[in-house]
Amino acid sequence: MLIKVDTRGKVCPLPLIMFRQALKQNQLETEFEILTDNETACGNLSDFICQSGFSVEKKEYEGYTSLKVNTKGKNILSILPQQEVEESHPLKEMNSISIVQLRSDVMGQGEDQLGEILILAYLNALNEVEKLPTHIICYNKGIRLATKSHPANEALKKLAEKGVEIILCGTCTDYFNQKEEIAVGKISNMLVIADLLSRAAHIVTP
């Protein structure tokens, strides 16, 4: 039986949450169809489907996208708990997660011009510390740090090369219309961000 998951009108992270719930509630079924009219949600769903090893048929219709998913041969229970955080992260010690969250393109409150200097100095200095974070999460104006035109993207690229995972809020990149300008990091969703923050042993907000 085909299980239809209609997420039209829903924004990140609800479509992904709805599909995960459908998988949990219909573990014996193998055919699902997801309907979405949100570009960011479609990208997040596609990433999850690909990471899970499911086959997918994508079709565009007027005003929405259909994702027909086949889960045959996959153990749903073994897939769902592992998707949001990669357990084999190279910088993880004793299964701990350490996060730097960047919620603005400036550091501190007060003079924005000074804050721009400070955030760039911080990211350059972070490259030199002995114990790096496992993740850097950028949201709100913080996603601008990862854009092609921002000088901070070079420091973020160096951190990414060292194994730090750069996570960008998809809703934020859409809001600021910056998706095509992103130079480093992975555009993700609030479900992934919430899961990472809940698992983190250390969270730093400079």
Side-chain angles (χ1 to χ4, degrees), residues 33 35 57-68:
E33 182 179 19
L35 306 179
E57 179 184 351
K58 181 178 179 181
K59 287 187 177 180
E60 300 289 346
Y61 295 96
E62 186 174 352
Y64 70 96
T65 301
S66 165
L67 298 171
K68 285 190 175 180

Side-chain angles (χ1 to χ4, degrees), residues 97-149:
I97 296 171
S98 59
I99 293 173
V100 169
Q101 56 179 0
L102 302 175
R103 54 191 182 190
S104 178
D105 54 356
V106 299
M107 185 175 180
Q109 296 180 339
E111 293 292 335
D112 283 350
Q113 189 172 2
L114 174 59
E116 291 172 0
I117 295 171
L118 293 177
I119 194 65
L120 183 57
Y122 172 78
L123 291 173
N124 284 326
L126 190 60
N127 267 288
E128 304 303 321
V129 302
E130 182 176 349
K131 189 173 182 180
L132 294 172
T134 57
H135 298 76
I136 292 177
I137 296 175
C138 302
Y139 57 90
N140 209 314
K141 290 184 180 179
I143 62 101
R144 292 176 175 173
L145 298 169
T147 58
K148 299 171 185 175
S149 60

Side-chain angles (χ1 to χ4, degrees), residues 30-86:
T30 60
E31 294 184 338
F32 298 80
E33 182 179 19
I34 313 164
L35 306 179
T36 177
D37 55 5
N38 183 277
E39 184 180 351
T40 299
C42 187
N44 292 331
L45 286 163
S46 297
D47 286 345
F48 176 78
I49 292 165
C50 180
Q51 292 165 10
S52 301
F54 303 148
S55 63
V56 60
E57 179 184 351
K58 181 178 179 181
K59 287 187 177 180
E60 300 289 346
Y61 295 96
E62 186 174 352
Y64 70 96
T65 301
S66 165
L67 298 171
K68 285 190 175 180
V69 182
N70 191 304
T71 65
K72 189 174 181 180
K74 299 295 179 181
N75 184 337
I76 302 300
L77 286 179
S78 69
I79 289 170
L80 286 174
Q82 300 174 25
Q83 292 306 306
E84 310 307 337
V85 180
E86 186 176 329

